[in-house]
Amino acid sequence: QYSFQENGWGAYLAERLVRKCDVVNRGISGYNTRWAKLILPRLITESTSADSIAAVTIFFGANDSALKELNPKQHVPLEEYAANLKSMVQYLKSVDITADKIILITPPPLQESAWEKACLAKGDKLNRSNATTGQYAQACVQVARECGTDVLDLWTLMQKNQDFSSYLSDGLHLSMKGNSFLAAQLWSRLENKLSALPSLLPYWRDVDHTNPEASLL
């Protein structure tokens, strides 16, 4: 949901693809795969033209991996998380969106001390752990392998920088730097597929101003 904020990774992609294709944001703050699986057919319906879809990203795990005893509302067991991801990929395939157009994104790492401060400020205890989030990230990678889709393993890539806290605004959500990192990683996977898309409508200097219908219709 936050990806279309200023400097968000969705906004970055939309800017890169302006006049080539629309970037549609269907992220919903706080949701997990259990809920997303139910609403996906409403977001991409059977009547959607698969030919008009250049790519689909599925980005879940940070909420699913919340600790059950401290955050039972968002928590989804690991095996169910993997099954839900697989179900979403299978649904997309059933409406003719091929595996090469689907990119799974793992949850980012959790910076526990920063997130604990955010939890304490709300009167809560630390309700996630980075090790647990890592298990969900590994499950996401495995689902991608089994389903033949691409995967962006944020959890691993971000931790190649030993101090990954700068990628996160509060230990959990992406900071401006984290959004830039995700955008760059994602664009490197999309660029070959999407940069060759033709521009929609001619450049303004190429429009015949005496007979615009000839250029635009």
Side-chain angles (χ1 to χ4, degrees):
Q1 179 174 323
Y2 303 133
S3 72
F4 267 35
Q5 290 183 146
E6 185 177 5
N7 299 308
W9 64 272
Y12 174 99
L13 293 180
E15 193 276 329
R16 286 288 182 281
L17 293 167
V18 68
R19 289 185 56 194
K20 289 180 177 288
C21 64
D22 295 326
V23 177
V24 180
N25 177 9
R26 290 292 181 263
I28 304 176
S29 175
Y31 272 48
N32 56 30
T33 57
R34 183 181 291 164
W35 305 342
K37 180 182 74 170
L38 297 176
I39 64 171
L40 179 60
R42 195 188 315 168
L43 304 179
I44 299 177
T45 67
E46 291 184 5
S47 62
T48 301
S49 171
D51 290 340
S52 70
I53 294 178
V56 177
T57 60
I58 301 177
F59 185 12
F60 285 96
N63 295 319
D64 297 69
S65 62
L67 302 176
K68 182 180 180 181
E69 62 275 15
L70 294 170
N71 190 349
K73 185 164 187 173
Q74 290 179 300
H75 168 80
V76 172
L78 183 61
E79 289 185 5
E80 183 189 342
Y81 166 74
N84 290 342
L85 283 180
K86 192 173 294 186
S87 175
M88 285 191 275
V89 172
Q90 289 169 344
Y91 171 76
L92 293 175
K93 289 180 177 179
S94 78
V95 295
D96 298 324
I97 298 171
T98 53
D100 63 303
K101 292 183 175 182
I102 301 169
I103 303 174
L104 301 188
I105 307 174
T106 77
L110 180 79
Q111 215 288 319
E112 292 180 12
S113 60
W115 184 240
E116 184 172 27
K117 287 181 183 177
C119 290
L120 291 172
K122 299 175 186 175
D124 298 327
K125 295 180 180 178
L126 178 65
N127 56 19
R128 289 165 168 80
S129 81
N130 192 40
T132 301
T133 302
Q135 294 175 345
Y136 284 69
Q138 290 171 4
C140 180
V141 171
Q142 182 60 32
V143 168
R145 188 176 296 125
E146 292 173 2
C147 293
T149 71
D150 200 352
V151 64
L152 174 50
D153 185 359
L154 269 191
W155 190 84
T156 298
L157 289 171
M158 283 187 167
Q159 290 184 97
K160 286 187 176 180
N161 179 345
Q162 288 185 335
D163 180 19
F164 62 87
S165 61
S166 62
Y167 291 132
L168 305 165
S169 62
D170 56 6
L172 175 66
H173 300 98
L174 297 176
S175 64
M176 186 186 302
K177 183 177 178 182
N179 271 282
S180 295
F181 182 87
L182 170 51
Q185 293 289 331
L186 198 51
W187 183 245
S188 71
R189 289 161 169 75
L190 293 172
E191 187 171 13
N192 287 340
K193 299 177 185 178
L194 305 186
S195 61
L197 289 172
S199 289
L200 301 172
L201 298 173
Y203 180 54
W204 73 269
R205 290 186 185 277
D206 297 330
V207 176
D208 181 353
H209 68 284
T210 63
N211 183 16
E213 290 86 352
S215 302
L216 304 178
L217 297 180

